[in-house]
Amino acid sequence: TQVLAASQITIAFSGLYALTLFNQIVRKKIYHYNGRKTGKTFERYQSLEMRPHDRLTANFLEWMPLFLCPLWVLASTESFTDSCINIAWSYVTLRALYILLVLQFGVDRSGNNVSLWAATFPGYVCLTHLLVQSVRAVF
């Protein structure tokens, strides 16, 4: 059941990541189309409008190893307690919240993204717990 739980969590997390990719593609097409309509060239990597969508996808990639590695270490060492399963699901839920917050509030270029803290800091707590538990399970 531990491997099944980890598999379900991985699929849910991967689904969220796929949503960020889909959002990125759709937004790029919309901004490209709008630029063409107004006679402006859409500069994909210079676009401030694309910044939150690109950042959202990149953020998932940045944190993916720190989530999936401890998750699968715990599942494969039979150390995946109900507590760890609940924390892993909480992390996936926080990632879903993060998507909504970024789409609602964007990303502050200064790096001070107070509106995202509701998902960010609790997510760090979840990741820390899973990482500590995985280290304990292996060493």
Side-chain angles (χ1 to χ4, degrees):
T1 65
Q2 292 176 319
V3 171
L4 178 61
S7 299
Q8 292 168 336
I9 292 164
T10 300
I11 288 170
F13 184 83
S14 298
L16 290 177
Y17 176 63
L19 284 175
T20 70
L21 288 171
F22 180 75
N23 171 66
Q24 190 180 41
I25 292 166
V26 168
R27 295 299 176 143
K28 180 175 73 172
K29 296 294 181 191
I30 288 170
Y31 296 141
H32 182 72
Y33 174 78
N34 288 343
R36 221 173 357 158
K37 257 180 26 180
T38 60
K40 296 180 182 176
T41 303
F42 174 67
E43 296 291 337
R44 193 247 190 282
Y45 295 106
Q46 302 296 324
S47 169
L48 292 178
E49 293 87 9
M50 275 302 294
R51 185 177 189 89
H53 311 291
D54 289 339
R55 189 70 205 113
L56 182 60
T57 302
N59 188 271
F60 260 79
L61 281 176
E62 290 168 2
W63 291 100
M64 191 178 294
L66 286 173
F67 175 59
L68 293 180
C69 290
L71 175 78
W72 281 99
V73 165
L74 290 168
S76 65
T77 59
E78 299 190 12
S79 299
F80 208 24
T81 63
D82 287 344
S83 170
C84 288
I85 291 170
N86 290 335
I87 288 169
W89 276 117
S90 296
Y91 183 73
V92 171
T93 303
L94 288 165
R95 295 308 304 186
L97 175 61
Y98 184 82
I99 291 171
L100 297 175
L101 292 173
V102 168
L103 293 178
Q104 176 69 32
F105 299 107
V107 177
D108 186 344
R109 293 183 69 187
S110 72
N112 189 22
N113 295 292
V114 176
S115 58
L116 306 180
W117 289 357
T120 302
F121 291 118
Y124 294 161
V125 171
C126 293
L127 290 174
T128 301
H129 179 79
L130 294 172
L131 183 59
V132 167
Q133 295 305 315
S134 67
V135 168
R136 292 170 108 187
V138 176
F139 296 102

